[in-house]
Amino acid sequence: MRADVAFTAPIRLAALIAAAFIFIGAALPAASAAEAINVILDQARISKIPEHTSAIVVGNPLIADVSIQAGGVMVVTGKGYGVTNLIALDRTGKVIGEQLVQVKSPVDSIVVYRGIARESYSCAPDCERRITLGDTPDYFDATLNQTGSRNSRAQQGQAAPSGAR
């Protein structure tokens, strides 16, 4: 069998170029993801504020909330799943910085589907009820009411009725 060297060289070159584009394309999203502030839902992360910032604008406050602290620090809290952005402005209203915020699920959570009903549990280390966005309203409300009742009784110094959790 005979191979045509003039024909295989362009194919090899094209394959190398395609591989380079695939490698570069895979590296670009990783680089932009490194610039994002990654926050777990219902948790906070501390980040530095650009110098001379006088205001921070949150793109979607349903996804993240920001609290400015002393010493050039901001606390970013995850409020809902998704991606939003933060824009830092100076006193004249000039944009001096912008950063993405990505809010993700906790790694210790498990979601159970019973038909169309959805329930969330935190499993660190034992699985316990944990309400979160997307849970079925009955499950969400029952867990929230139990938590509220328990907290009220704790503040009043009363013991919870037997059988309650």
Side-chain angles (χ1 to χ4, degrees), residues 37 39 47-48 50 55-61 64-67 74-77 83-89 95-101:
I37 299 172
V39 184
S47 184
K48 295 293 278 176
I56 298 280
V57 178
V58 179
N60 185 343
D65 186 28
V66 173
S67 171
M74 67 179 165
V75 178
V76 182
T77 305
V83 177
T84 189
N85 66 328
L86 303 176
I87 301 171
L89 303 172
V95 175
I96 56 175
E98 184 170 358
Q99 195 161 20
L100 289 177
V101 176

Side-chain angles (χ1 to χ4, degrees), residues 6 8 16 36 41 46 51-52 60 62 70 78 84 96 122 135 156 164:
T8 56
L16 285 173
L41 182 70
I46 294 175
E51 287 189 35
H52 308 295
N60 185 343
L62 295 175
T84 189
I96 56 175
S122 178
D135 286 342
Q156 297 170 1

Side-chain angles (χ1 to χ4, degrees), residues 2-150:
R2 189 175 142 222
D4 187 359
V5 176
F7 180 70
T8 56
I11 292 175
R12 249 189 244 158
L13 181 62
L16 285 173
I17 291 171
F21 278 118
I22 290 170
F23 178 76
I24 290 169
L28 287 177
S32 64
E35 297 172 8
I37 299 172
N38 292 306
V39 184
I40 303 298
L41 182 70
D42 296 334
Q43 292 187 13
R45 168 142 289 161
I46 294 175
S47 184
K48 295 293 278 176
I49 300 173
E51 287 189 35
H52 308 295
T53 298
S54 66
I56 298 280
V57 178
V58 179
N60 185 343
L62 295 175
I63 294 176
D65 186 28
V66 173
S67 171
I68 307 281
Q69 304 297 316
V73 184
M74 67 179 165
V75 178
V76 182
T77 305
K79 298 289 186 177
Y81 299 115
V83 177
T84 189
N85 66 328
L86 303 176
I87 301 171
L89 303 172
D90 67 8
R91 291 184 183 188
T92 65
K94 179 182 171 194
V95 175
I96 56 175
E98 184 170 358
Q99 195 161 20
L100 289 177
V101 176
Q102 183 172 3
V103 179
K104 301 177 181 181
S105 301
V107 294
D108 67 339
S109 68
I110 292 178
V111 177
V112 176
Y113 289 92
R114 301 171 196 260
I116 60 170
R118 177 188 150 147
E119 301 173 357
S120 297
Y121 295 86
S122 178
C123 298
D126 299 324
C127 292
E128 301 288 342
R129 284 181 155 199
R130 177 192 193 282
I131 55 173
T132 192
L133 297 174
D135 286 342
T136 303
D138 291 341
Y139 176 80
F140 190 96
D141 293 340
T143 305
L144 187 60
N145 288 337
Q146 285 180 6
T147 303
S149 176
R150 182 176 186 270

